[in-house]
Amino acid sequence: MYLKLAWRNLWRNKRRTSITMASVFFAVILSTLMMSIKEGTYVNMIQSMVGSYMGYAQIHADGYWDDQNLDNSMVLNDTLIKIISSDSEIDGYVQRVETFSLAASKDVTKGAMVVGIDPVAEGKLMELDERVVEGDYLEAEDKAVLLGAGLADFLELGVGDTIVLLGQGFHGVSAAGKYLVKGLIKFGSPELSKHVIFLPLKEAQWLFGMENRCTSVILLLRDPNAATDVTQQLAAHIDSRFEVMSWETLMPELINMIETDRVEGYVFMFILYLVVSFGIFGTVLMMLAERRHEFGVLVAIGMKRVQLALVVWIEVIIISICGAFAGMIGALPVCTYFYLRPVRFGEDISKMVEDYGMEAVLQASIQPEIFVQQALIVTGIACFISIYPLIKVMHMSAIEAMRQ
Amino acid sequence: MMLLIQIAWRNVWRQKIRSLVVIIAVALGLFAGVFASAFVEGMMRQKIDSVIRLEMSHFQVHRPGFRDDMRANLFIEDVSALRQALKDEQAVEGVSERLLVMSMLGSANATGGITLMGVDPDAEATVTDLHTKVEEGEYLPANKRLPILISQEMAEKYKAHLRSKLVLTLQDVNGDMTAGAFRVVGIYNSGNNLFDEQHAFVRKEDLRQLIGIPVGVHEVAVLLNSHELAEPMATQFQQIFPNLEVLSWMDLASGMRYLVEAFGAYLYIIVGIILTALLFSIVNTMLMAVLERVRELGMLMAIGMNKFRVFGMIMLETIFLAMIGGPLGLLLSWAAVAYFGKYGINLSGAAYGEMGFATIIYPYLDASSYWNVTVMVIVMAVVAAIFPAKKALSLKPAEAIRKI
Amino acid sequence: MNQLVVETKDLFKIYPGVVDVHAVDGVDLQIEDNEFTAIVGPSGSGKTTLLNIIGGLDRPSAGSVKVNGHELSGMTDNELIDFRLKHIGFVFQSYNLIPVLTAEENTEFILLLQGTPKPERELRVRSLLKEVGLEDKLNSRPSQLSGGQQQRVAVARALASKPDFVLADEPTANLDSKSAENLLEIMAQLNQEEGITFIFSTHDQRVIDKARRVITLEDGRIVSDERR
């Protein structure tokens, strides 16, 4: 009954109700679009900076991360393998040997990250084979390398050329090797492509004098968002000789960057809602003033103030929710479009974004939380706004109200 | 005319609720627009300031092609003409001639690639702020042998401290690998992590010997006495020295030009959005006010106040309201910007430092921007009233009077 | 013979609908200068509509309505407003005055709209308010005046532009008997001493008693026209 009353009351003054709803619609659709694009970009950022290379979780020898040194390498023993394999949250793992070395071509030398990988595993789990842009992917027994495309450019090397690797191995042994460039590889993050060289694991272990050892084990998670939980659980089961870290620990600056950006978004949203909320409040205030007489009559003929207050509250809620709903529905198609077809940025922006190590696309997210969040905010605002009118109604004197 | 003004003014004070609502809405909208703009502008200024004062100076001169890969052999041989031209130019505050090379830094613990800057400490201090950011030790004293100034980031990564020995490996001018051992004399922290991770400083003469360039430099950085002169000066010098590459800071830092130019558009969008939200409130409020005054307006038209005057009266009321709300909002926002402009908004928890933005934001807005936003808000408020005012005209006096 | 202040011929006002409503159903009316005339009739008789048309507040569906020789039926909205300003004075049942103006200002309002110079205005306004007995209430706002006083100010204002006639729509309806008497007295006096034409729409017997001509309407037609 209250609902019916409230609904009809609202439509008595079509224009006012429509305009108020429109303002809510406006705020919601903008906020939703903004948050959706931000969240989508974050996912994209995480994927391109973490998922494609670093992995969502890693295991190292205890203390390796702070002091990244071949001497701090580990052995992937059977116990570890068993624990990892039996964890349902972990879809797979790959071993890597990672160290900094000099890479040299005929005329040019540059420092680069040499990564010893298991080509089959990396291909399956990290889809490394799909990133080859020229030449061929590695096989386990190859004595050849995959060069990052940016690095290849700098060293002026192409597929079929020879590259020399020089560095320091396990326990100080000298490492030197000559390899064929079998293929060129490209990552979403150009930074990565400028610094990386892939070598088959066996070859890397031989080169650096560390048979059976690796520097890190990358874990592939079923649910990337659960990284922290999974690593915590795992840490409990693993020997203290090892450390387990989620990507959030491995790349705190990424988290920070995301959080900051998110906060910025909230700040803007706050300002926007502030302005709109006040608009709604103003409307409600004037609505009250306009209907004083009517309220007076209702209370005089026997409607309890509480009931009247309820009707008013429902009216405010309906306006807000309908506007919010419309806003969400309006935003959905746009978000879905950008979710399915991310848009590349123009040249200038692309360059800048890529310099930060990110992929230059505009991507949206259609996580329901984003939409639900807006609905909740609007409902919260509506309730807050209603406080004043409700108080006024509860303290109204029928006779005063009818005195025009 | 005076009559209309008089009536409009008195009407403003008669309809207290309506007036208060519009005044606050305008003030709020103005506050939101100004504060948001000041925030973003403050950030931009700091970023620009930091880019100029720490990284790029106002413009730099290189040999064409040097910036692509930083090959040691692409240096400027004869700097004397340039030096003279800069000396003659009044606007120049400081000039630093540098040697730059990509180098591998090795300590007992780690190896990595950095950009090694060979500078003349005194000249360098006229161009950048670096000498003020030394946290431990000294800048680059003349009396020490082969000193090197590293960042705190580097110190942590390579486990170095004052007096540590660091080995720098690089490719000299002939393409041969060479190395030099330097001692850490100072540790700096610029607040910009991206910069710090990458740059270490040694004396130009020391680097000269290592690289094998007896005369000539890789880079000439120039600081002017005003930001505005950067572009025109750079163009001017490029014309004078067509064989060299002269670029202003906007073109040196990737994406800066875009950022700066997009910034203006970005601000307009933000303010535009806030204005639109404001529009809804005002239209709605004025509309309700007009419809509430049906009897009064009908009576006015009955006794002979023509439509133009009625329209004018309502518009005048809105103008008055906007003129009250405007300064109010202006005052509030000016106070907020002044306060935070002095004490800063602390975003330390956030990762702005990672992206090269300072962690404490000092909102800033120049006078013209205040004006712009204020004018926009007032204009918008008045525009918002047009529709309700027109509505008033379509009231039929006969009907209006009969409404009891 | 006196000039006809108001003349209607074959006046019709029809509201279309499922059944067409003939609010004014063929009215031929002639009102002369100096009249003190009441138009009466039950609700739905069309008296309100008729008066709206005569007062230029509404347009007829058919027929002609002339005020002092000017044909109203073809005028645009703005022309009507302007005409009312110069030729017709109004006293409504309530909400006559502009709430934010004082009695003096309310009265001079019409003159201001017409652009009358200040000295002339002041003189006229003061004398009008004196005539209605409110010379000491010049600076009072409507909220500070009693109902009767407000209606008197309305009369003063209605007379300000020397209109062809004054249209009074239930002027006494919201007043107590004493104030009502008072108001009527004043209007009657103005009619007799200054020759101002008054046309009333009323239910109030007192007004009817005082009127020298009573026109009765029923179903949109004049059913009786009594001169006394």
Side-chain angles (χ1 to χ4, degrees):
Chain A
M1 198 269 284
Y2 296 116
L3 195 59
K4 193 164 72 165
L5 257 182
W7 182 256
R8 292 200 192 170
N9 272 336
L10 283 178
W11 294 112
R12 260 165 42 179
N13 195 329
K14 271 191 290 205
R15 186 169 281 117
R16 169 174 70 204
T17 307
S18 308
I19 295 184
T20 315
M21 279 194 193
S23 72
V24 176
F25 168 79
F26 176 74
V28 169
I29 198 175
L30 270 185
S31 302
T32 310
L33 276 175
M34 180 180 73
M35 291 321 262
S36 163
I37 290 182
K38 277 188 191 289
E39 292 293 329
T41 311
Y42 301 154
V43 165
N44 195 298
M45 255 166 66
I46 295 176
Q47 258 176 11
S48 70
M49 293 170 88
V50 174
S52 64
Y53 182 68
M54 188 166 270
Y56 290 97
Q58 290 186 4
I59 304 179
H60 328 108
D62 190 39
Y64 171 74
W65 191 247
D66 288 329
D67 195 0
Q68 290 182 23
N69 198 307
L70 287 181
D71 292 342
N72 281 333
S73 51
M74 58 178 266
V75 178
L76 182 61
N77 56 34
D78 292 326
T79 340
L80 207 51
I81 296 182
K82 213 153 94 184
I83 300 180
I84 295 177
S85 312
S86 62
D87 193 328
S88 54
E89 291 291 323
I90 301 180
D91 276 349
Y93 66 91
V94 286
Q95 282 188 67
R96 287 195 191 141
V97 167
E98 239 176 59
T99 188
F100 193 80
S101 293
L102 271 183
S105 64
K106 195 164 71 116
D107 294 316
V108 192
T109 314
K110 191 173 183 200
M113 207 52 162
V114 174
V115 188
I117 56 165
D118 174 348
V120 174
E122 292 271 354
K124 208 163 60 162
L125 296 171
M126 305 295 276
E127 295 176 343
L128 197 59
D129 50 342
E130 306 203 1
R131 302 191 190 274
V132 176
V133 291
E134 244 187 81
D136 297 312
Y137 189 56
L138 290 177
E139 282 163 41
E141 302 296 326
D142 280 344
K143 297 219 188 304
V145 299
L146 286 178
L147 273 194
L151 185 57
D153 267 348
F154 184 80
L155 294 173
E156 293 169 3
L157 291 173
V159 175
D161 290 335
T162 312
I163 189 173
V164 171
L165 295 179
L166 286 170
Q168 220 180 18
F170 189 52
H171 284 157
V173 304
S174 264
K178 221 155 67 161
Y179 298 99
L180 179 72
V181 176
K182 192 170 178 197
L184 298 187
I185 207 161
K186 206 165 185 187
F187 286 96
S189 152
E191 273 310 293
L192 220 47
S193 308
K194 277 193 203 161
H195 291 114
V196 84
I197 301 179
F198 290 102
L199 203 53
L201 187 66
K202 279 226 191 75
E203 188 57 38
Q205 284 168 332
W206 174 85
L207 178 66
F208 295 112
M210 39 194 284
E211 319 293 342
N212 268 329
R213 303 186 76 85
C214 64
T215 55
S216 46
V217 176
I218 317 294
L219 301 176
L220 202 74
L221 302 182
R222 188 189 59 84
D223 175 15
N225 295 317
T228 328
D229 291 329
V230 174
T231 47
Q232 267 172 0
Q233 270 210 328
L234 204 57
H237 291 130
I238 287 186
D239 201 301
S240 57
R241 277 183 299 146
F242 301 106
E243 59 185 22
V244 195
M245 292 181 174
S246 70
W247 69 269
E248 287 124 352
T249 323
L250 295 168
M251 286 194 85
E253 42 311 345
L254 186 56
I255 288 255
N256 267 334
M257 206 152 73
I258 292 178
E259 277 311 307
T260 311
D261 192 80
R262 212 181 252 137
V263 165
E264 242 185 34
Y266 284 135
V267 168
F268 181 70
M269 217 163 68
F270 172 74
I271 294 183
L272 188 61
Y273 273 121
L274 193 65
V275 178
V276 168
S277 303
F278 189 76
I280 302 178
F281 185 63
T283 306
V284 170
L285 266 189
M286 297 197 62
M287 214 163 73
L288 271 189
E290 210 177 273
R291 290 159 69 187
R292 250 167 54 102
H293 185 265
E294 170 197 332
F295 287 169
V297 168
L298 287 173
V299 168
I301 65 174
M303 188 172 188
K304 296 210 187 58
R305 290 200 181 80
V306 162
Q307 296 171 313
L308 188 56
L310 189 61
V311 172
V312 170
W313 180 73
I314 295 181
E315 285 176 35
V316 178
I317 296 279
I318 293 181
I319 291 182
S320 314
I321 300 278
C322 282
F325 214 64
M328 288 193 275
I329 294 184
L332 195 58
V334 181
C335 294
T336 315
Y337 179 77
F338 280 112
Y339 175 71
L340 296 173
R341 285 175 183 279
V343 164
R344 288 234 102 201
F345 286 134
E347 239 195 73
D348 282 325
I349 327 177
S350 286
K351 178 129 201 333
M352 181 174 75
V353 169
E354 282 169 4
D355 272 3
Y356 283 122
M358 303 190 283
E359 215 187 326
V361 290
L362 191 73
Q363 165 130 51
S365 160
I366 51 175
Q367 296 262 48
E369 286 86 53
I370 299 175
F371 299 86
V372 168
Q373 188 187 50
Q374 297 301 321
L376 286 176
I377 293 177
V378 168
T379 315
I381 291 178
C383 291
F384 184 70
I385 291 181
S386 320
I387 294 179
Y388 177 74
L390 293 188
I391 295 180
K392 274 227 107 180
V393 167
M394 293 307 285
H395 286 114
M396 188 180 63
S397 141
I399 315 173
E400 291 281 330
M402 290 197 281
R403 195 171 299 200
Q404 270 288 32
Chain B
M1 192 47 195
M2 264 316 286
L3 174 68
L4 274 183
I5 293 180
Q6 198 180 41
I7 296 184
W9 178 252
R10 295 193 199 178
N11 273 333
V12 161
W13 297 113
R14 183 174 63 108
Q15 296 187 288
K16 295 208 181 60
I17 298 182
R18 184 273 316 242
S19 298
L20 204 62
V21 168
V22 175
I23 290 176
I24 296 187
V26 169
L28 205 61
L30 191 56
F31 177 82
V34 168
F35 198 74
S37 307
F39 186 83
V40 177
E41 175 141 7
M43 252 174 58
M44 267 310 285
R45 296 188 124 235
Q46 280 174 273
K47 168 76 173 164
I48 291 179
D49 234 46
S50 149
V51 164
I52 292 180
R53 291 219 132 265
L54 184 68
E55 301 176 49
M56 301 296 173
S57 318
H58 282 111
F59 66 86
Q60 291 181 359
V61 185
H62 309 97
R63 184 149 146 194
F66 173 71
R67 287 190 322 123
D68 295 332
D69 289 321
M70 299 222 233
R71 300 275 179 88
N73 55 0
L74 290 177
F75 59 92
I76 307 174
E77 285 186 37
D78 185 6
V79 203
S80 51
L82 182 60
R83 209 178 274 153
Q84 190 58 42
L86 286 170
K87 223 160 154 196
D88 293 337
E89 180 57 58
Q90 267 201 345
V92 170
E93 267 192 13
V95 177
S96 178
E97 299 169 14
R98 305 171 179 148
L99 287 173
L100 259 109
V101 71
M102 298 279 277
S103 155
M104 267 217 333
L105 181 59
S107 70
N109 276 77
T111 40
I114 60 160
T115 305
L116 195 57
M117 315 272 284
V119 301
D120 168 17
D122 295 326
E124 186 72 12
T126 65
V127 168
T128 72
D129 273 353
L130 195 64
H131 55 289
T132 62
K133 312 232 186 239
V134 177
E135 304 236 321
E136 278 179 56
E138 300 165 83
Y139 179 39
L140 273 179
N143 56 348
K144 296 266 166 55
R145 228 183 86 78
L146 294 175
I148 183 169
L149 176 68
I150 61 172
S151 68
Q152 203 146 53
E153 298 267 321
M154 288 180 192
E156 279 168 21
K157 177 171 177 188
Y158 298 97
K159 299 272 181 301
H161 43 262
L162 291 181
R163 311 219 313 178
S164 300
K165 188 166 92 155
L166 295 177
V167 173
L168 281 120
T169 319
L170 48 95
Q171 214 174 7
D172 71 10
V173 73
N174 299 317
D176 299 325
M177 296 300 294
T178 174
F182 290 80
R183 225 165 251 292
V184 178
V185 294
I187 301 182
Y188 77 88
N189 186 345
S190 75
N192 178 338
N193 293 23
L194 276 183
F195 179 83
D196 289 2
E197 273 167 22
Q198 195 58 29
H199 296 88
F201 297 82
V202 294
R203 282 207 298 257
K204 189 162 55 176
E205 304 315 311
D206 297 336
L207 194 54
R208 214 184 257 301
Q209 284 199 350
L210 211 48
I211 299 185
I213 302 179
V215 169
V217 294
H218 290 118
E219 177 173 280
V220 179
V222 180
L223 191 72
L224 303 170
N225 59 16
S226 130
H227 289 343
E228 276 79 51
L229 290 173
E231 288 279 293
M233 282 262 124
T235 322
Q236 190 188 336
F237 271 82
Q238 177 70 85
Q239 283 174 344
I240 304 179
F241 297 95
N243 295 328
L244 296 175
E245 179 193 74
V246 182
L247 291 175
S248 74
W249 60 276
M250 275 208 260
D251 292 313
L252 286 169
S254 67
M256 266 328 267
R257 182 172 286 280
Y258 167 77
L259 207 62
V260 170
E261 285 167 6
F263 171 66
Y266 185 54
L267 263 191
Y268 272 119
I269 293 180
I270 290 187
V271 175
I273 290 179
I274 292 180
L275 283 187
T276 312
L278 188 57
L279 187 85
F280 286 107
S281 312
I282 298 188
V283 168
N284 226 3
T285 309
M286 288 309 290
L287 201 60
M288 283 192 284
V290 160
L291 295 177
E292 205 178 71
R293 292 158 70 187
V294 160
R295 267 187 293 260
E296 174 194 337
L297 296 171
M299 182 270 294
L300 284 173
M301 285 200 276
I303 67 176
M305 189 156 160
N306 67 29
K307 300 205 167 179
F308 181 73
R309 284 176 167 137
V310 171
F311 183 83
M313 180 181 83
I314 296 182
M315 293 304 291
L316 275 171
E317 287 175 30
T318 314
I319 291 177
F320 284 136
L321 289 170
M323 295 291 210
I324 297 176
L328 187 65
L330 203 60
L331 194 69
L332 276 174
S333 54
W334 178 84
V337 169
Y339 177 76
F340 285 109
K342 185 155 175 213
Y343 295 104
I345 301 178
N346 200 332
L347 291 169
S348 298
Y352 275 121
E354 306 296 341
M355 297 261 296
F357 287 100
T359 50
I360 302 185
I361 307 288
Y362 295 90
Y364 175 88
L365 206 59
D366 60 64
S368 68
S369 296
Y370 275 111
W371 275 129
N372 287 345
V373 180
T374 307
V375 166
M376 282 199 275
V377 168
I378 292 187
V379 164
M380 209 279 315
V382 171
V383 164
I386 293 183
F387 175 68
K390 285 200 105 186
K391 261 280 138 196
L393 301 185
S394 64
L395 293 172
K396 298 226 178 309
E399 292 174 17
I401 298 169
R402 289 291 149 175
K403 273 198 208 293
I404 293 279
Chain C
M1 167 147 117
N2 288 335
Q3 160 78 309
L4 284 177
V5 171
V6 175
E7 184 184 2
T8 78
K9 276 207 178 89
D10 285 327
L11 200 65
F12 282 88
K13 180 75 182 180
I14 303 178
Y15 293 104
V18 174
V19 173
D20 286 348
V21 176
H22 292 232
V24 175
D25 202 14
V27 168
D28 291 330
L29 183 61
Q30 286 163 348
I31 298 185
E32 291 161 1
D33 202 13
N34 254 335
E35 283 194 29
F36 201 80
T37 301
I39 301 187
V40 304
S43 307
S45 59
K47 101 176 166 282
T48 310
T49 315
L50 177 62
L51 260 87
N52 280 347
I53 295 177
I54 291 177
L57 294 170
D58 199 359
R59 289 203 188 80
S61 311
S64 118
V65 48
K66 288 196 192 147
V67 171
N68 242 349
H70 299 99
E71 177 62 55
L72 295 184
S73 57
M75 289 190 186
T76 63
D77 275 349
N78 272 335
E79 284 169 346
L80 280 172
I81 294 180
D82 206 46
F83 188 82
R84 295 197 295 268
L85 183 66
K86 300 195 175 96
H87 296 268
I88 309 178
F90 288 92
V91 178
F92 300 112
Q93 181 176 345
S94 54
Y95 296 97
N96 269 300
L97 306 177
I98 300 172
V100 298
L101 297 180
T102 63
E104 179 174 14
E105 288 164 342
N106 259 296
T107 311
E108 79 172 344
F109 187 63
I110 309 261
L111 296 173
L112 273 169
L113 285 181
Q114 290 181 309
T116 318
K118 190 159 177 181
E120 216 181 293
R121 272 193 339 249
E122 262 185 34
L123 212 59
R124 182 133 180 84
V125 165
R126 302 245 164 119
S127 101
L128 280 170
L129 284 171
K130 192 150 179 243
E131 285 192 72
V132 298
L134 286 174
E135 64 266 34
D136 56 341
K137 293 279 183 200
L138 290 176
N139 291 321
S140 305
R141 291 206 184 183
S143 50
Q144 297 162 315
L145 299 171
S146 73
Q149 290 169 326
Q150 285 180 28
Q151 293 302 74
R152 284 190 271 160
V153 175
V155 172
R157 180 188 68 195
L159 295 175
S161 63
K162 299 210 175 85
D164 296 338
F165 67 94
V166 173
L167 199 57
D169 182 12
E170 311 269 10
T172 54
N174 288 356
L175 302 178
D176 63 80
S177 47
K178 188 138 185 274
S179 311
E181 282 276 345
N182 210 320
L183 188 66
L184 265 178
E185 247 332 294
I186 292 177
M187 291 200 275
Q189 208 172 17
L190 287 165
N191 173 255
Q192 261 149 20
E193 287 172 17
E194 319 252 342
I196 298 174
T197 312
F198 277 87
I199 304 177
F200 294 90
S201 150
T202 186
H203 282 135
D204 192 336
Q205 196 53 47
R206 293 171 294 214
V207 178
I208 298 174
D209 288 342
K210 261 233 158 47
R212 291 199 302 275
R213 178 181 176 190
V214 179
I215 301 174
T216 312
L217 278 183
E218 216 177 277
D219 294 327
R221 293 199 197 96
I222 298 180
V223 295
S224 93
D225 191 346
E226 208 185 300
R227 289 185 200 252
R228 310 191 190 138

